[in-house]
Amino acid sequence: NADVVVNFDVDAKGNVASVRHRLGGWERNGQRVEDSRAQRVLAYAEDTAKRIKTQKPAANSEAVIRKLFTSLAEGKPDYDSFTPQMADLTRQQLSNLQPFVASLGSMKALRFKKVNEGGGDEFEADFEKGALNVMMSLDEDGRIAGAWFGPR
């Protein structure tokens, strides 16, 4: 059971200056942003808590995973589909990721397993020449905020 905890810090005038948001074992800190962004983040946190409880993957996580593996195999990831931190990490690791993912061949099947306590969607992926466990986390804007895969 994942609890969502949101703490607000106020300045001397009583205005909200920053926020700490915790969902399961995942914590995020942020400075004050415009109201529309704050509403998106809060809606995302509520949706993620609901997905954890109901064990339903994010609506587009399967499509994002398929696109990720295809683009990694080609050596041409869509960096705009990543958070800036994940884009940087992918750029740094692409020379290792590309030959590994390409060696698996095309993806044949992708099966949802669960939503983990941090809100990441976990899948089993079957390829022509291998099988992986895959975890994908998307941010409130639908960008890849975390990805992990390993042998199964």
Side-chain angles (χ1 to χ4, degrees):
N1 190 17
D3 292 325
V4 176
V5 178
V6 180
N7 295 308
F8 296 94
D9 297 316
V10 295
D11 62 19
K13 296 180 181 177
N15 298 314
V16 174
S18 64
V19 64
R20 285 186 316 276
H21 157 241
R22 189 176 73 236
L23 175 62
W26 183 66
E27 188 167 315
R28 188 174 188 180
N29 299 312
Q31 299 302 313
R32 184 174 181 87
V33 295
E34 68 278 359
D35 288 342
S36 62
R37 174 136 176 93
Q39 292 301 318
R40 263 195 342 267
V41 170
L42 289 173
Y44 167 79
E46 291 171 2
D47 180 62
T48 301
K50 181 178 177 183
R51 289 189 319 95
I52 291 168
K53 184 176 182 179
T54 63
Q55 287 297 297
K56 301 285 184 193
N60 60 338
S61 64
E62 183 174 338
V64 171
I65 290 170
R66 289 181 182 279
K67 179 180 173 184
L68 173 65
F69 277 93
T70 299
S71 67
L72 287 174
E74 295 170 351
K76 299 177 183 176
D78 175 10
Y79 292 110
D80 291 338
S81 68
F82 297 92
T83 62
Q85 299 86 352
M86 278 300 296
D88 289 345
L89 184 60
T90 303
R91 283 185 188 94
Q92 293 168 18
Q93 298 296 319
L94 186 59
S95 64
N96 296 318
L97 289 170
Q98 190 277 328
F100 171 73
V101 173
S103 75
L104 296 169
S106 64
M107 186 181 289
K108 296 298 182 188
L110 187 62
R111 290 177 300 283
F112 174 72
K113 287 175 31 180
K114 69 177 188 171
V115 180
N116 64 32
E117 67 181 25
D121 293 340
E122 295 185 13
F123 288 82
E124 293 178 339
D126 294 329
F127 297 84
E128 290 174 319
K129 301 174 189 169
L132 298 174
N133 286 315
V134 179
M135 189 285 298
M136 169 81 56
S137 294
L138 302 174
D139 74 358
E140 64 276 3
D141 296 319
R143 299 176 300 179
I144 300 170
W148 174 91
F149 48 88
R152 142 167 96 78

